[in-house]
Amino acid sequence: VNYTWTPSTGLNNTTINNPVATPLVNTTYTVLVIDANGCENSDSVTVTVYNLPIVTVTQNSAICIGGTIQLNAGGGSNYQWSPTSSLNDPSSSSPVANPVSTTTYTVVVTNAGGCVDSASVTITVNALPVATVSADTTICEGTATTLFAGGGVSYSWSPTSSLNNSTSSNPVATPTSPTTYTVVVTDINGCTDDAQVNILLNTQPISQFEVDPNLIS
């Protein structure tokens, strides 16, 4: 009919038969029980407190749409990531993610003591640039033409052998045979797109003449 718990630290009520204990460290609680006849006895229970896992997680990052990134978490023995749809293994500590839009992933980490904590990481998905190039054109053999590209902050043309500057947005091309030039355009986020332009060649005319002897005076 009467209960007294000690110590009182971490208990919501020390005079009931079922108090809620929230100790911060390992604690042994002793309860003194008195019945209706005034007889008493006691017993003890030890509550062991495990530390929460210290969760480590990948820093916030950015990828280009269509790309992948490996997430990493640590601090426990069991891992569960969400959302799961764009992960190859949501129960791995290091799943590979291929989100199609900016996504915040949360990982719940459980340690050997069964305690849990969580952390989140945001993967920003950047759109690809749209590479633009000059139209296909035909030039005469031995002449040059200027190529043009746009849509990014850096450019890489190939093949390079007949260009005066393969990293310019507008290199001068002097092909010796019909050539398809490909330009890889990179934007400020490091995402890339490519486009092609065809340069055809017209053969130079060969001038020929004959002298008419009847016209020679």
Side-chain angles (χ1 to χ4, degrees):
V1 295
N2 183 275
Y3 303 86
T4 303
W5 293 85
T6 56
S8 61
T9 304
L11 297 180
N12 70 328
N13 191 326
T14 60
T15 60
I16 60 176
N17 68 329
N18 58 345
V20 176
T22 315
L24 298 177
V25 295
N26 296 348
T27 303
T28 298
Y29 292 101
T30 300
V31 61
L32 176 65
V33 179
I34 301 174
D35 66 12
N37 299 313
C39 299
E40 61 184 48
N41 201 353
S42 63
D43 201 358
S44 298
V45 58
T46 297
V47 179
T48 300
V49 178
Y50 294 105
N51 292 324
L52 294 178
I54 300 175
V55 181
T56 59
V57 72
T58 306
Q59 292 183 344
N60 294 340
S61 302
I63 63 173
C64 303
I65 190 167
T68 62
I69 186 170
Q70 187 169 46
L71 308 180
N72 291 284
S77 56
N78 182 270
Y79 302 87
Q80 188 60 51
W81 294 83
S82 63
T84 63
S85 58
S86 55
L87 299 176
N88 71 327
D89 186 357
S91 61
S92 167
S93 63
S94 54
V96 175
N98 61 336
V100 295
S101 60
T102 298
T103 302
T104 297
Y105 295 97
T106 298
V107 59
V108 176
V109 179
T110 305
N111 64 13
C115 299
V116 299
D117 201 0
S118 63
S120 296
V121 55
T122 297
I123 304 301
T124 301
V125 178
N126 293 314
L128 300 181
V130 178
T132 58
V133 291
S134 47
D136 295 345
T137 190
T138 301
I139 62 175
C140 296
E141 287 181 336
T143 63
T145 185
T146 300
L147 309 178
F148 295 94
V153 294
S154 66
Y155 304 86
S156 179
W157 293 85
S158 62
T160 62
S161 58
S162 55
L163 299 176
N164 71 328
N165 187 343
S166 63
T167 61
S168 169
S169 62
N170 56 345
V172 175
T174 313
T176 57
S177 60
T179 303
T180 297
Y181 293 97
T182 300
V183 60
V184 177
V185 176
T186 305
D187 67 10
I188 194 171
N189 297 312
C191 299
T192 62
D193 191 23
D194 62 73
Q196 295 180 326
V197 55
N198 296 306
I199 304 300
L200 302 179
L201 299 183
N202 278 334
T203 303
Q204 292 281 16
I206 299 175
S207 60
Q208 294 179 333
F209 65 91
E210 294 179 355
V211 177
D212 186 345
N214 297 322
L215 296 178
I216 298 176
S217 58

